[in-house]
Amino acid sequence: MKKRTFNNTVKTTIPVLVIGLFMFVSGCDNTIEPYEDEQTHFSIYGYLDLTETSHYIRVKDVSRPLLADSTRGFDANVIFENLETGESQQLESEVLKEDGMYLYNYHVEKELSQETTYRVLVEDLDSRKSSATATTPAEIDVSTEPVGRNCTTDVVTLLPDVKDSTQVDFFVGFEYNHERKWIRTIVHTDENDNGYVEFAPQMILNLAFIEDFEPGDTVWGEPPVQCSDLDNNRFWIRYTHYGPDWAGYERPVSPLEAMDVKNGLGFFGAFQQELHSIPVDTMEIF
């Protein structure tokens, strides 16, 4: 599997797990009572990123009240399994202390495969079990054309075999005044169920700087920022392709809204991020 290094702005599309996960467990509401349903044992929350080899999964015993003393100590086995191959490993916890409470993150160090289902199984000494599965998305052979044309030429990015365009977040970026700016764009699906995005680089600039237009200006008249004003002649394309577990959820998924954990609470999903750049002729002046 190809490995890529991402600009920091790309990684902000997914919250950092060890900082932002399960905030309702880490002190936002200490009045939550233990769950009365005996089948609701553990919360499981985490993301699998196909472009990384380090992954973190947070686990909590939901039968305990959200009080500092009750979060100290967590005695359960957490197993990470590849359901396609049967391979499994027991995970070790990394304990964090936040707002006086102890949080338990389980670290998976593993390169993942496309279109593969992974499971997290939690079981304590009383044989209480909770589990969650995540299926990784298929790889997309993305292509963009034409490249190297002027700023007003439409560019089409093809995302073959994207059956559900809502499962892809797509952004177009550029560098201006030493800052990379991003504009979210819509992914369409053609009659052959192939995803595509069509845009003109100058239109992306117009959307980014629409507030700078003067009354009476038209977007194709003389835009306040043109391609020749950019720091360089490259536009950037980034997208995140989500696995099937994300269907029906807004992103990022709220742990309080997700119900995909068997005998538990939380959310477990997989995604893949890609980043490409394309050259654009930035010398054409309006």
Side-chain angles (χ1 to χ4, degrees):
M1 183 177 67
K2 296 177 286 186
K3 305 301 293 182
R4 296 173 176 83
T5 301
F6 292 94
N7 183 282
N8 286 339
T9 56
V10 176
K11 299 303 290 182
T12 59
T13 60
I14 298 297
V16 179
L17 182 66
V18 296
I19 297 177
L21 282 185
F22 244 167
M23 291 305 294
F24 79 101
V25 169
S26 62
C28 289
D29 184 357
N30 286 340
T31 64
I32 297 177
E33 295 297 327
Y35 290 88
E36 296 180 358
D37 183 355
E38 63 180 5
Q39 296 301 313
T40 305
H41 303 311
F42 301 100
S43 63
I44 299 172
Y45 196 91
Y47 303 138
L48 299 179
D49 182 352
L50 272 165
T51 57
E52 301 290 344
T53 56
S54 288
H55 319 274
Y56 288 90
I57 301 159
R58 178 159 293 177
V59 177
K60 184 187 183 298
D61 185 345
V62 297
S63 68
R64 298 185 177 185
L66 299 183
L67 301 173
D69 289 342
S70 69
T71 61
R72 185 191 298 271
F74 181 71
D75 194 2
N77 289 325
V78 178
I79 306 297
F80 184 77
E81 302 172 283
N82 182 329
L83 295 186
E84 311 295 331
T85 65
E87 178 187 5
S88 66
Q89 65 181 105
Q90 182 167 329
L91 304 182
E92 299 294 330
S93 65
E94 297 183 4
V95 184
L96 303 177
K97 191 174 183 180
E98 186 174 312
D99 294 333
M101 290 182 289
Y102 295 88
L103 310 176
Y104 297 87
N105 289 334
Y106 287 81
H107 182 211
V108 179
E109 187 70 26
K110 190 174 186 61
E111 185 170 314
L112 305 175
S113 302
Q114 268 96 12
E115 297 183 275
T116 301
T117 301
Y118 297 90
R119 180 171 69 174
V120 174
L121 173 64
V122 183
E123 182 176 7
D124 67 6
L125 298 178
D126 296 323
S127 298
R128 297 187 307 151
K129 296 180 182 179
S130 298
S131 64
T133 60
T135 301
T136 56
E139 186 171 12
I140 304 175
D141 186 17
V142 175
S143 61
T144 300
E145 56 184 39
V147 296
R149 301 292 181 88
N150 64 53
C151 202
T152 59
T153 301
D154 283 344
V155 174
V156 178
T157 298
L158 299 178
L159 300 94
D161 298 320
V162 174
K163 304 299 182 183
D164 185 354
S165 60
T166 65
Q167 293 301 95
V168 179
D169 288 339
F170 194 98
F171 294 81
V172 179
F174 56 89
E175 294 178 358
Y176 179 72
N177 282 345
H178 309 293
E179 178 183 357
R180 187 173 296 177
K181 298 179 179 293
W182 295 100
I183 294 295
R184 184 168 187 163
T185 56
I186 297 174
V187 178
H188 301 281
T189 305
D190 64 19
E191 64 276 7
N192 297 317
D193 288 330
N194 291 313
Y196 71 94
V197 175
E198 185 172 5
F199 65 93
Q202 182 62 53
M203 183 58 71
I204 296 297
L205 298 183
N206 294 345
L207 292 173
F209 297 101
I210 190 68
E211 294 181 356
D212 295 334
F213 279 86
E214 297 293 335
D217 285 349
T218 65
V219 294
W220 295 115
E222 189 167 342
V225 176
Q226 303 176 28
C227 283
S228 56
D229 299 320
L230 301 182
D231 294 349
N232 53 55
N233 69 339
R234 307 199 74 82
F235 273 69
W236 296 85
I237 290 171
R238 89 169 194 243
Y239 68 88
T240 304
H241 184 202
Y242 297 90
D245 305 287
W246 302 75
Y249 288 114
E250 293 185 0
R251 298 182 288 267
V253 178
S254 166
L256 291 175
E257 297 176 0
M259 300 297 293
D260 290 341
V261 176
K262 183 178 180 180
N263 294 335
L265 297 172
F267 178 79
F268 188 44
F271 62 90
Q272 182 167 15
Q273 295 186 109
E274 295 285 349
L275 178 67
H276 306 277
S277 68
I278 57 173
V280 174
D281 181 0
T282 61
M283 297 309 297
E284 180 170 312
I285 305 297
F286 278 77

